[in-house]
Amino acid sequence: MATRVRPWRLGPAGSAGAEKLATGGAASAEGPGRPGPLQDETLGVASVPSRWRDAQGFRGETKSCQTASVATADAASQARKRADAEVQTEAPGPGVLPAPRHDSARLAAFLRRVEATVVRELNRNWRSHAFDGFSVNWTEPQCTVTCLHTLGYPPAQGQGLHVTSVSWNTTGSVVACAYGRLDDGDWSTLKSFVCAWNLDRRGLSPRQPSAVVEVPSAVMCLAFHPTQPSHVAGGLYSGEVLVWDLSRPEDPLLWCTGLTDDTHTDPVYQVVWLPEPRHSHHFRVLSVATDGKVLLWQGVGAGQLQLTEGFALVVQQLPRNTKLKKPPRGETEVGTTAVAFSSFDPSLFVLGTEGGFPLKCSLAAEEAALTRMPSSVPLRAPAQFTFSPHGGPVYSVSCSPFHRNLFLSAGTDGHVHLYSMLQAQPLTSLRLSPKYLFAVRWSPVRPLVFAAASGEGAWGTLKRLRGCCPRSLSPHASLFLKVTCNCLISRKAPRNPQFPSSKPRMAALSTVLNLIASRLSCWPLAMPRAQ
């Protein structure tokens, strides 16, 4: 409840109104000049409307906001349309089929016109000797091997020399072999031969080679050039590396290393042609020897092989990922006996060693080798990974042409190990012979087939049955051939008197496997299919 005060209007004199107000209308009772008591008066509600709120309402503004529009899209898919079509011949009607109609006169005229040409070609084929000695075999092929040629060089065989290496040229028509005698300690006066036969030449004489090169030292290994059919490289027992041109019978020697500080001090066990990184059509020669060095040679003018890169294997720098036998006291170099390059990485290669353990190495290694061997170029340490060893020296390694991580190794313990580049232990181990194994090769056309050569004078091809995992690899002897043991295998190598560090080495001489794995067409094989 609000109290409202009414204003009073004063009269002209003002005293009467004021007095009345002061006395509350009781002046007459109290008397003039006396103030009367104040009295409360209750009035109605008084309200004052606000004009400011009305003014603010007129000035109000309306605002709004909205997000960006959301983009939408519709997509539809539909299965590929298919259509079926059927063709059916009409049902044969009753009656006899009409006889074919032909123009006898035109047929006779055609035969008279081509008679002379046909008779001439028939007479020409009759006089040809292209199919002399060919006989059609209508029977099913058997799992046998047919020996087409038995090649030999009588002067070398008369001196009791052995076949130490075999290699095919890039055309597949010329096969070369090296002769030497490694059981004679007087190696300095030993002469050997490199002989080549062209199997596609008419009138081939198995006892008369197409080319003969006389070498002053025993030839341990051969390798034909990948693109030049007449160039062949060889490693000698003296440590030298030579390259011959068989198209020059008068002067076949093309390049040689000579006996320098860069030359190997032990026998060279394998040579390989490698393309240059920047020029794939130019090739260098890589050589490995039991002195622990892996060398790369480049042919230069004046018939000289110049050392361009070098690697050395030292015991102290081998990876310690697997337990190895402690080397003899004072011996620091690791003798290498075999090399194989990966088909997928040109800088990756595997080495076989005299200690029995394979090594994964790289040409891109930059670590310096801790060796005192003299060299005109800095020697580097290529070893990156050590694999579990064999029970004896490893004389052959082979990388799979179909899988980047698989490779085989064959050792004198009679076992073939299948390794993966990713682990030290072998995936599987196969005992193929109680004697030494000197060579192993993957098949270039069948991923599950490989061949091995043993010290018994026999070789065989083995294959893994389909569906088997690597650890349950089951060998199946597809074929087996007995070869002449005394001309393909030699057990011991003599001491090299020129270099005191040289020791008797086990020679891997049964390289007849190269003859099998490189060109199986020379000995036709009938392989049964895997079940």
Side-chain angles (χ1 to χ4, degrees):
M1 178 70 69
T3 303
R4 185 177 182 182
V5 180
R6 293 183 179 181
W8 294 89
R9 185 176 182 183
L10 299 178
S15 59
E19 182 180 357
K20 184 178 180 179
L21 177 62
T23 59
S28 60
E30 297 297 333
R34 281 186 155 182
L38 296 177
Q39 296 180 358
D40 295 334
E41 184 179 359
T42 301
L43 301 178
V45 178
S47 61
V48 180
S50 174
R51 296 182 178 180
W52 178 85
R53 190 178 303 277
D54 295 341
Q56 292 297 322
F58 294 145
R59 290 183 298 179
E61 297 180 2
T62 301
K63 297 182 179 180
S64 63
C65 63
Q66 185 178 357
T67 60
S69 58
V70 179
T72 59
D74 295 335
S77 61
Q78 188 175 1
R80 183 181 301 175
K81 294 183 179 180
R82 297 181 179 272
D84 297 334
E86 297 181 0
V87 177
Q88 185 176 1
T89 59
E90 297 180 358
V96 182
L97 295 177
R101 293 178 296 178
H102 60 271
D103 191 344
S104 301
R106 293 181 59 187
L107 179 59
F110 169 75
L111 293 178
R112 284 193 297 268
R113 187 169 63 253
V114 302
E115 178 183 5
T117 304
V118 174
V119 171
R120 184 174 65 253
E121 293 299 326
L122 290 176
N123 291 333
R124 183 178 179 182
N125 291 341
W126 178 259
R127 293 191 298 269
S128 174
H129 298 281
F131 295 96
D132 288 355
F134 175 76
S135 59
V136 181
N137 183 14
W138 300 105
T139 61
E140 291 292 332
Q142 301 296 324
C143 182
T144 57
V145 177
T146 301
C147 182
L148 299 181
H149 304 287
T150 302
L151 309 176
Y153 186 48
Q157 294 173 335
Q159 299 178 23
L161 300 182
H162 305 153
V163 176
T164 58
S165 182
V166 177
S167 179
W168 287 88
N169 76 338
T170 184
T171 64
S173 60
V174 177
V175 59
C177 76
Y179 283 98
R181 185 175 179 84
L182 302 180
D183 55 359
D184 189 354
D186 190 10
W187 69 272
S188 59
T189 60
L190 175 68
K191 291 184 179 181
S192 62
F193 302 92
V194 174
C195 302
W197 289 265
N198 188 343
L199 302 183
D200 291 343
R201 179 175 297 179
R202 286 189 177 183
L204 171 67
S205 176
R207 313 297 290 177
Q208 182 60 43
S210 305
V212 178
V213 179
E214 193 170 318
V215 188
S217 179
V219 182
M220 299 288 294
C221 51
L222 289 177
F224 267 104
H225 195 281
T227 59
Q228 298 292 334
S230 61
H231 291 182
V232 59
L236 305 188
Y237 187 80
S238 61
E240 295 181 82
V241 178
L242 290 79
V243 177
W244 298 282
D245 186 354
L246 300 182
S247 64
R248 306 187 309 182
E250 296 81 9
D251 185 17
L253 183 60
L254 191 61
W255 295 307
C256 68
T257 60
L259 292 176
T260 65
D261 290 341
D262 293 332
T263 311
H264 291 286
T265 57
D266 276 2
V268 178
Y269 271 66
Q270 192 170 349
V271 289
V272 180
W273 291 91
L274 292 181
E276 294 186 9
R278 298 181 180 179
H279 306 283
S280 59
H281 59 284
H282 293 166
F283 288 84
R284 297 180 294 176
V285 181
L286 181 138
S287 60
V288 297
T290 50
D291 59 355
K293 292 193 293 185
V294 179
L295 305 179
L296 273 168
W297 306 91
Q298 178 69 55
V300 295
Q304 188 72 21
L305 280 175
Q306 182 179 358
L307 182 63
T308 58
E309 293 183 63
F311 304 89
L313 296 172
V314 184
V315 174
Q316 291 80 359
Q317 291 181 297
L318 293 182
R320 300 299 180 182
N321 56 283
T322 186
K323 186 177 180 180
L324 302 177
K325 295 182 180 180
K326 187 176 181 180
R329 184 176 181 181
E331 185 172 322
T332 59
E333 292 80 13
V334 178
T336 57
T337 53
V339 62
F341 276 80
S342 171
S343 302
F344 301 89
D345 186 354
S347 65
L348 182 65
F349 62 99
V350 178
L351 291 175
T353 64
E354 288 185 312
F357 49 89
L359 291 172
K360 182 173 74 172
C361 305
S362 175
L363 294 177
E366 298 181 356
E367 182 183 1
L370 303 177
T371 179
R372 297 181 180 179
M373 291 184 289
S375 177
S376 61
V377 299
L379 299 179
R380 293 173 288 169
Q384 294 183 337
F385 195 79
T386 307
F387 298 93
S388 180
H390 283 256
V394 174
Y395 282 123
S396 182
V397 289
S398 178
C399 293
S400 172
F402 299 96
H403 196 288
R404 65 181 305 115
N405 291 326
L406 294 183
F407 72 93
L408 295 168
S409 64
T412 56
D413 56 354
H415 286 78
V416 169
H417 287 183
L418 174 63
Y419 288 97
S420 170
M421 297 281 188
L422 307 178
Q423 67 180 56
Q425 298 298 324
L427 298 177
T428 188
S429 178
L430 303 175
R431 180 174 176 83
L432 304 183
S433 173
K435 300 291 184 178
Y436 299 162
L437 291 180
F438 289 103
V440 65
R441 288 292 184 277
W442 285 101
S443 169
V445 294
R446 301 184 66 180
L448 304 181
V449 176
F450 66 91
S454 71
E456 296 177 305
W459 63 266
T461 60
L462 307 176
K463 66 180 179 180
R464 179 169 68 89
L465 299 181
R466 295 179 182 176
C468 296
C469 62
R471 290 191 179 276
S472 60
L473 185 143
S474 302
H476 177 269
S478 299
L479 53 94
F480 216 74
L481 173 69
K482 198 73 176 180
V483 296
T484 306
C485 180
N486 58 356
C487 67
L488 291 177
I489 297 174
S490 178
R491 299 294 178 84
K492 290 288 184 179
R495 181 183 298 272
N496 189 334
Q498 184 174 355
F499 306 108
S501 62
S502 174
K503 300 177 293 299
R505 310 291 185 180
M506 188 68 68
L509 302 181
S510 60
T511 53
V512 66
L513 190 58
N514 289 332
L515 188 69
I516 303 166
S518 301
R519 293 293 186 274
L520 293 178
S521 59
C522 181
W523 288 343
L525 306 180
M527 306 288 292
R529 294 185 177 181
Q531 301 298 327

